[in-house]
Amino acid sequence: MFKAIKIAILLVIKYAGGFWLAKQLNKGNTCVLCYHGFSYKDESSFRPKLFMKPEHFASRMQWLANSSYKVVSLQEATKHPHKENCVVLTMDDGWAATYELISETLAKHQFPLMLYITSYYAAKQGAVINVALAYLFWKSIGKSVKVNDDRLDSTIECLIEKHKISQIVDEISCALQSVAFQERQEILCQISEQLGHSLLHNNQLMFRSLNLDEMLALKKLNVDIQLHTHRHCSPQEEQAFKNEIMENIQFLSQVMTKEDLQHFCYPSGEYYLTQLPWLSDCNVRTATTVQSGMLTPQTDLLQIPRFLDGADVHQLEFEAELCGLASYLRKLL
Ligand SMILES: [Zn+2]
């Protein structure tokens, strides 16, 4: 209901010239868009901010291509002053679907895209356990799950209820820590079979990260591979934080030169001001958050705001972000 009212108000503002006016006032500023993964099946209903339908993403890119917005790289957008209304595309995590489902769209438009990659799962190649488990349980509400494997220290058995999903995921993920990566994947497969929901779609494993060959193929489509920590975490202890970045650089230097790895995205948007000088020590020049707002000449380049686009974002909400109207409204409300 609230959403319908919001869309109706945005429609009125748009046709009263509000979007146009906000766009004029925001010349020289940039909207940095943030995407994540894409759905093979129904993942966009499971987590709309994390997985978008490929055709939805394609329609967004086509809209941008037809618009007067200039899609530029993050490096270009931070060169001030410029006078255009710019848009930057960023994508987090490095899900395999970025190659498997949207490379045709990326090839069609060749827009510059900054892709932040977490390297642990890219190196290991398997399903991201906690996300895959949460998906399986989301599809299995009301069923019981029993994890009983000789390789684990204990048996876990419970009824899957909506409000308990994250608790069950944490419990099973924690239990799986005691076994090797491949064994974790085998137990995940057993759980998916038990619940009757496959993690394969057309022989493609869902919730997998990009491998090195896929990253190299994406680079040819104007994709700039950058940093997102090794294990998708944001330690508050200096050495642990720097180790995360150094391990990430070490892995990604197989597809990029170390000197080019200068851009970073805080995992889950979690960051602390104490981490900013540590990033500079690691030669990082820009860092993106998930705080709302536009990139302006005054923005701290280690705290760049972004708009999280997703399956649940209406086209009018998307346009309101691009022109900067949404930023004005957030300051007013
Ligand atoms: Zn992330």
Side-chain angles (χ1 to χ4, degrees):
M1 186 62 185
F2 172 75
K3 178 100 166 177
I5 294 168
K6 183 183 175 188
I7 300 307
I9 292 171
L10 287 177
L11 191 64
V12 171
I13 295 175
K14 180 177 178 175
Y15 286 102
F19 282 31
W20 176 86
L21 182 62
K23 196 172 172 185
Q24 304 314 306
L25 294 171
N26 275 297
K27 283 197 185 295
N29 295 335
T30 303
C31 178
V32 183
L33 294 172
C34 165
Y35 294 91
H36 286 85
F38 300 92
S39 54
Y40 296 88
K41 294 196 265 192
D42 52 357
E43 305 96 296
S44 59
S45 302
F46 157 59
R47 287 199 181 159
K49 285 276 187 262
L50 199 54
F51 302 104
M52 199 174 188
K53 286 184 181 167
E55 57 270 27
H56 193 177
F57 179 74
S59 76
R60 288 281 206 258
M61 295 304 107
Q62 191 57 54
W63 188 90
L64 280 174
N66 296 339
S67 77
S68 58
Y69 287 97
K70 188 175 176 190
V71 182
V72 298
S73 65
L74 186 61
Q75 294 90 327
E76 184 71 27
T78 54
K79 282 183 201 156
H80 295 290
H82 54 80
K83 291 194 170 64
E84 298 100 336
N85 293 101
C86 292
V87 175
V88 166
L89 302 175
T90 66
M91 206 170 275
D92 298 6
D93 304 333
W95 296 97
T98 308
Y99 175 77
E100 291 177 334
L101 299 180
I102 63 151
S103 49
E104 222 173 276
T105 299
L106 298 177
K108 179 179 178 185
H109 299 290
Q110 300 272 330
F111 289 144
L113 167 70
M114 190 165 280
L115 177 61
Y116 301 108
I117 293 186
T118 280
S119 35
Y120 176 81
Y121 275 100
K124 296 282 189 185
Q125 286 298 303
V128 176
I129 296 275
N130 59 340
V131 181
L133 282 173
Y135 172 75
L136 290 173
F137 298 153
W138 170 76
K139 288 184 74 72
S140 309
I141 291 168
K143 290 185 182 174
S144 288
V145 61
K146 185 173 183 182
V147 186
N148 182 18
D149 191 287
D150 291 346
R151 294 168 288 190
L152 298 178
D153 298 334
S154 58
T155 298
I156 298 170
E157 186 171 10
C158 51
L159 176 70
I160 302 165
E161 294 174 272
K162 196 176 176 185
H163 68 282
K164 277 192 181 168
I165 289 180
S166 66
Q167 186 191 324
I168 308 170
V169 168
D170 287 349
E171 201 178 335
I172 297 177
S173 302
C174 189
L176 291 176
Q177 289 297 323
S178 62
V179 297
F181 184 86
Q182 200 46 46
E183 293 173 317
R184 281 179 224 164
Q185 294 291 316
E186 287 164 16
I187 295 170
L188 174 67
C189 251
Q190 290 168 13
I191 297 171
S192 87
E193 279 167 25
Q194 183 190 136
L195 294 173
H197 296 293
S198 173
L199 289 173
L200 289 174
H201 181 64
N202 291 337
N203 286 326
Q204 293 164 321
L205 178 64
M206 299 160 70
F207 310 111
R208 178 178 71 82
S209 294
L210 291 161
N211 62 35
L212 290 169
D213 288 341
E214 290 163 337
M215 289 181 212
L216 287 168
L218 285 171
K219 270 184 78 177
K220 292 180 183 153
L221 305 178
N222 211 6
V223 173
D224 186 5
I225 308 277
Q226 293 294 339
L227 307 167
H228 199 35
T229 73
H230 186 59
R231 286 176 175 267
H232 205 269
C233 58
S234 198
Q236 294 187 61
E237 195 274 312
E238 180 174 359
Q239 201 50 53
F241 183 83
K242 287 183 174 175
N243 286 347
E244 278 295 327
I245 295 184
M246 297 324 287
E247 270 191 90
N248 199 201
I249 289 176
Q250 197 59 39
F251 180 81
L252 294 179
S253 63
Q254 295 175 86
V255 288
M256 297 287 288
T257 65
K258 283 187 181 173
E259 295 69 39
D260 287 336
L261 292 165
Q262 296 185 332
H263 303 277
F264 177 75
C265 169
Y266 299 100
S268 309
E270 182 187 349
Y271 78 103
Y272 307 90
L273 294 178
T274 47
Q275 294 168 333
L276 272 51
W278 305 342
L279 284 173
S280 301
D281 291 345
C282 295
N283 201 29
V284 169
R285 286 186 44 238
T286 72
T288 49
T289 69
V290 287
Q291 288 184 329
S292 52
M294 300 199 80
L295 169 61
T296 74
Q298 288 74 43
T299 302
D300 180 342
L301 294 186
L302 294 180
Q303 297 181 76
I304 296 176
R306 293 187 297 172
F307 173 65
L308 194 46
D309 195 9
D312 56 351
V313 176
H314 190 279
Q315 175 67 24
L316 279 172
E317 294 175 293
F318 175 73
E319 292 176 34
E321 291 291 341
L322 293 184
C323 67
L325 179 90
S327 289
Y328 292 139
L329 292 178
R330 273 191 292 267
K331 282 175 195 160
L332 281 175
L333 298 171

